[in-house]
C-alpha cells in the first residue's frame, strides 16, 4: 500500500502548532498609515484589488480578516475561510500569511471530482506557495519553512520523490529542528530508492522479454529456411570440361558408326546357295 503524507500541516502527527501556521503577528508588527510614502498604493481598481503591497508590514483590516479566516478554518468552514483570506489579500496584496493561509485552505478543498483537473485547487495552492517563498524567506522564515514543508508533502503524494526531498531539505535549512520534515525526508529517500529498484527490475524484465522475442524470431526464421528445398547453384562449364565432353561425344559417335556398319548386309551380286 502506498504511504501518503498529508499535504497540509494540520494533520495529527505531521503538524506544527496552529499558532505558528495561521496566526498573524499582530502585536509585533506596527500598523501603517494608508498614506505612508513607503506604501505602494493601488493606481486603479481594475489593475490592483489590494490597497497596499507590503510583505514586511501588516494592517489592522488585514489582521482582522486573517483572524476571522483562522476561526472559520478551525470550524472546517473552508469556503468561508477562503473568502476571509481573500479579504486580507485585498487589503495587502503582498500579505505573506494571508496568501499562505489561502493556499492551505485550498488544499482542503480538493476532492475526487476536481482532482487532476484544471480546477484542481492543489494546483493553485502550489502556485501560491512557490510565489510567496521569495517574500517569506526575507520577511517571515516560519512561513517559508512551512511552505517548503507543504510543497514537499504534495510532491511526495504525487510520487515525485526527488522534488519532495529538495523541499524537505529547504525546510530543514531554515529550521533544522523540524522533526516532521526530517522524518518525511528520510521516508522520501527510502521511497525514491524503492522506486529506482522497481524501475531497474522492470527494465531488466523488459530487456529479457525483448531478448526472448528475438530468439524466437531467429528460431522461426531458421525453421522456415530448413523447410525450403535447397537449390544448388549451377556453375558455368570451363573450357577444359567442354573439351573432355566433346571428346567423349566424338568417341561415342565413332563407336556407334562401327556397330551400325557390322549390322548392315553386304552389297553386290547374290551368292549361290551352297550344295547340300
Amino acid at each position: 500500500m502506498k504511504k501518503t503524507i498529508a499535504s497540509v500541516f494540520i494533520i495529527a502527527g505531521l503538524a506544527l502548532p496552529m499558532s505558528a501556521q495561521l496566526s498573524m503577528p499582530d502585536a509585533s508588527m506596527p500598523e501603517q498609515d494608508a498614506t505612508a510614502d513607503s506604501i505602494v498604493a493601488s493606481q486603479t481598481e481594475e489593475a490592483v484589488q489590494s490597497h497596499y503591497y507590503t510583505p514586511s508590514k501588516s494592517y489592522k483590516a488585514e489582521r482582522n480578516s486573517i483572524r476571522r479566516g483562522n476561526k472559520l478554518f478551525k470550524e472546517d468552514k473552508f469556503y468561508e475561510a477562503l473568502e476571509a483570506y481573500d479579504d486580507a489579500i485585498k487589503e495587502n496584496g503582498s500579505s505573506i500569511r494571508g496568501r499562505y493561509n489561502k493556499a492551505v485552505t485550498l488544499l482542503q478543498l480538493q476532492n475526487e471530482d476536481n482532482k487532476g483537473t484544471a480546477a484542481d485547487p492543489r494546483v493553485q495552492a502550489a502556485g501560491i506557495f512557490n510565489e510567496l517563498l521569495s517574500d517569506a524567506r526575507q520577511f517571515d522564515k516560519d512561513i517559508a519553512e512551512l511552505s517548503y514543508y507543504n510543497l514537499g508533502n504534495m510532491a511526495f503524494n504525487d510520487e515525485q520523490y526527488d522534488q519532495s526531498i529538495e523541499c524537505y531539505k529547504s525546510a530543514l535549512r531554515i529550521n533544522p529542528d523540524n522533526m516532521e520534515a526530517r522524518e518525511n525526508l528520510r521516508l522520501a529517500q527510502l521511497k525514491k530508492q524503492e522506486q529506482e529498484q522497481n524501475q531497474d527490475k522492470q527494465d531488466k524484465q523488459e530487456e529479457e522479454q525483448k531478448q526472448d522475442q528475438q530468439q524466437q524470431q531467429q528460431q522461426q526464421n531458421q525453421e522456415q529456411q530448413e523447410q525450403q528445398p535447397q537449390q544448388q547453384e549451377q556453375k558455368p562449364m570451363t573450357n577444359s570440361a567442354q573439351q573432355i565432353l566433346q571428346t567423349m561425344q566424338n568417341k561415342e559417335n565413332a563407336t556407334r558408326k562401327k556397330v551400325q556398319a557390322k549390322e548392315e548386309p553386304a552389297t553386290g551380286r547374290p551368292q549361290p546357295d551352297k550344295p547340300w
Side-chain angles (χ1 to χ4, degrees):
M1 179 181 296
K2 182 180 77 173
K3 179 169 180 63
T4 301
I5 292 179
S7 294
V8 292
F9 49 81
I10 302 176
I11 299 298
L14 295 177
L16 295 176
M18 176 69 72
S19 60
Q21 298 159 359
L22 296 175
S23 297
M24 194 70 179
D26 305 343
S28 61
M29 300 189 70
E31 297 181 17
Q32 300 293 319
D33 184 80
T35 60
D37 294 337
S38 61
I39 296 173
V40 180
S42 60
Q43 301 300 321
T44 63
E45 185 174 355
E46 294 181 359
V48 180
Q49 289 184 334
S50 60
H51 295 159
Y52 318 112
Y53 282 89
T54 56
S56 62
K57 303 180 184 300
S58 66
Y59 302 91
K60 184 175 181 178
E62 175 190 350
R63 296 193 298 272
N64 287 341
S65 294
I66 290 177
R67 290 195 193 97
R68 178 163 51 88
N70 295 350
K71 181 176 181 298
L72 293 167
F73 189 100
K74 291 178 181 179
E75 297 171 354
D76 293 339
K77 298 178 180 179
F78 301 120
Y79 286 100
E80 296 177 37
L82 192 63
E83 293 179 358
Y85 297 135
D86 280 334
D87 289 340
I89 296 172
K90 289 179 182 178
E91 291 297 326
N92 180 4
S94 293
S95 172
I96 295 175
R97 300 209 169 193
R99 288 182 285 165
Y100 173 81
N101 291 354
K102 177 179 179 178
V104 171
T105 306
L106 285 168
L107 294 179
Q108 300 293 329
L109 300 180
Q110 186 192 48
N111 53 50
E112 292 302 322
D113 293 333
N114 59 36
K115 184 177 180 180
T117 68
D120 190 340
R122 284 194 350 140
V123 177
Q124 185 178 357
I128 294 174
F129 283 135
N130 283 296
E131 184 268 336
L132 65 82
L133 276 171
S134 177
D135 290 338
R137 284 195 298 264
Q138 183 176 359
F139 300 110
D140 198 331
K141 299 291 187 180
D142 289 340
I143 295 301
E145 173 193 349
L146 290 172
S147 296
Y148 279 124
Y149 178 77
N150 282 319
L151 287 170
N153 290 349
M154 295 170 70
F156 183 97
N157 291 338
D158 292 337
E159 298 184 359
Q160 298 175 354
Y161 300 120
D162 286 334
Q163 183 177 341
S164 68
I165 288 170
E166 291 304 315
C167 289
Y168 292 139
K169 287 181 178 180
S170 295
L172 288 169
R173 291 188 187 101
I174 298 173
N175 179 17
D177 296 328
N178 186 336
M179 296 309 299
E180 289 82 4
R182 191 171 299 278
E183 291 173 2
N184 290 355
L185 171 62
R186 179 56 180 161
L187 182 58
Q189 290 171 334
L190 292 173
K191 296 296 291 185
K192 177 186 176 182
Q193 182 179 2
E194 179 183 347
Q195 187 182 59
E196 291 175 345
Q197 291 174 348
N198 291 337
Q199 185 63 46
D200 291 341
K201 183 178 179 180
Q202 182 179 353
D203 292 343
K204 184 177 179 180
Q205 290 176 346
E206 291 178 353
E207 182 63 24
E208 290 177 350
Q209 183 179 4
K210 182 179 179 180
Q211 291 178 356
D212 291 340
Q213 291 176 349
Q214 290 177 347
Q215 291 177 356
Q216 291 177 0
Q217 185 63 39
Q218 291 175 355
Q219 185 176 357
Q220 290 177 358
N221 294 339
Q222 184 177 357
E223 291 175 353
Q224 291 176 358
Q225 290 177 358
E226 291 175 352
Q227 292 174 359
Q228 293 177 355
Q230 299 295 328
Q231 296 182 353
Q232 296 182 353
E233 182 179 358
Q234 295 183 352
K235 297 182 178 179
M237 187 177 297
T238 62
N239 293 334
S240 59
Q242 289 179 349
Q243 291 175 358
I244 293 172
L245 180 60
Q246 186 64 42
T247 301
M248 293 176 63
Q249 288 179 349
N250 292 339
K251 289 182 179 180
E252 184 179 353
N253 292 336
T255 303
R256 186 181 299 110
K257 288 180 180 180
K258 289 180 180 181
V259 173
Q260 291 177 353
K262 290 180 180 181
E263 292 178 352
E264 292 179 355
T267 59
R269 293 180 296 177
Q271 300 292 329
D273 293 339
K274 291 181 180 183
W276 291 97

